Every structure is written in C-alpha cells, then in structure tokens.
Amino acid sequence: MPLPKGCQLHQRELVQLCSSLLSLRFRSLDKRYSLRAKRVFSELSEKPFVVELDLRDDGSEIQDILLDLVGKRTVPQVFVNGEHIGGSDETLKALANGQLQKHLGRNQ
C-alpha cells in the first residue's frame, strides 16, 4: 500500500520500510524500467509495495536518501526482505539466476 501523497519520509523510516517489507520499488517520470520490474513481480504473483516518487511532494528527497543508502538515485530500486536487489536490470538478472526467488523464500 503506497504512502499517502505529501507524507514526509525520512531516512530512518525508509530504512525501516526497506527492512520490513517484501519489496519496495520507486517510480519516476521514466516508467519503462519500473514497468519491467513490476512485470517481474507480476510473473511471480507478488504484489510489491511501491513508492510513487512522481506523485509525492518529497520524491526528490527520497531519491537523495536512496543515494545515501544504495549509492544511486535512479529508479526503480528494488528491495526484498531488507535486501537491496538493485534496479530493473539487476532485478531481471536476479530472476534469471534464481536469486530473486531465493530472497522471496521460494524454491527455484
């Protein structure tokens, strides 16, 4: 379930979200990569928690926090059970090599 629009999300709270949720994705104005990552989770019948940066007043601040946390401001950034998977390309690679399923607690 998305955070309410305009809700201020601080670094500590973002870290807590990343460690407690199944998955957390971030979307921006360029939706191609987010849609690719979304398809991966759809294929696995998973419903990720998505933070829609382009719909939030503090979207740029959240991207700054991502830069501090994972070294990237680009989106999407995918987290599964507290583990940072990476962006769209890394998520596809993790699916192909079975690591994503492992993080989700599934057998290949």
Side-chain angles (χ1 to χ4, degrees):
M1 119 177 146
L3 296 173
K5 184 177 178 183
C7 173
Q8 296 299 310
L9 186 66
H10 299 285
Q11 185 168 0
R12 178 175 34 85
E13 295 163 321
L14 184 58
V15 170
Q16 288 172 334
L17 276 172
C18 293
S19 64
S20 64
L21 296 170
L22 172 65
S23 57
L24 175 63
R25 292 183 23 261
F26 300 88
R27 189 177 87 181
S28 72
L29 295 174
D30 184 358
K31 296 177 175 73
R32 292 176 292 171
Y33 300 108
S34 292
L35 290 174
R36 278 186 4 180
K38 184 178 181 180
R39 273 194 300 273
V40 167
F41 285 93
S42 178
E43 289 173 13
L44 296 172
S45 299
E46 295 287 346
K47 296 185 190 282
F49 179 90
V50 179
V51 177
E52 306 283 357
L53 295 181
D54 54 338
L55 302 178
R56 296 176 53 90
D57 296 333
D58 60 351
S60 182
E61 292 174 43
I62 294 172
Q63 283 185 285
D64 291 340
I65 294 169
L66 280 173
L67 181 61
D68 290 342
L69 289 176
V70 300
K72 298 178 182 179
R73 291 183 91 245
T74 58
V75 291
Q77 291 301 318
V78 177
F79 296 82
V80 177
N81 294 324
E83 182 93 19
H84 178 241
I85 304 300
S88 176
D89 290 341
E90 292 85 5
T91 301
L92 287 171
K93 287 177 191 171
L95 175 67
N97 67 24
Q99 289 300 307
L100 184 59
Q101 297 87 326
K102 181 179 175 184
H103 288 297
L104 291 167
R106 297 177 174 201
N107 293 329
Q108 287 180 277

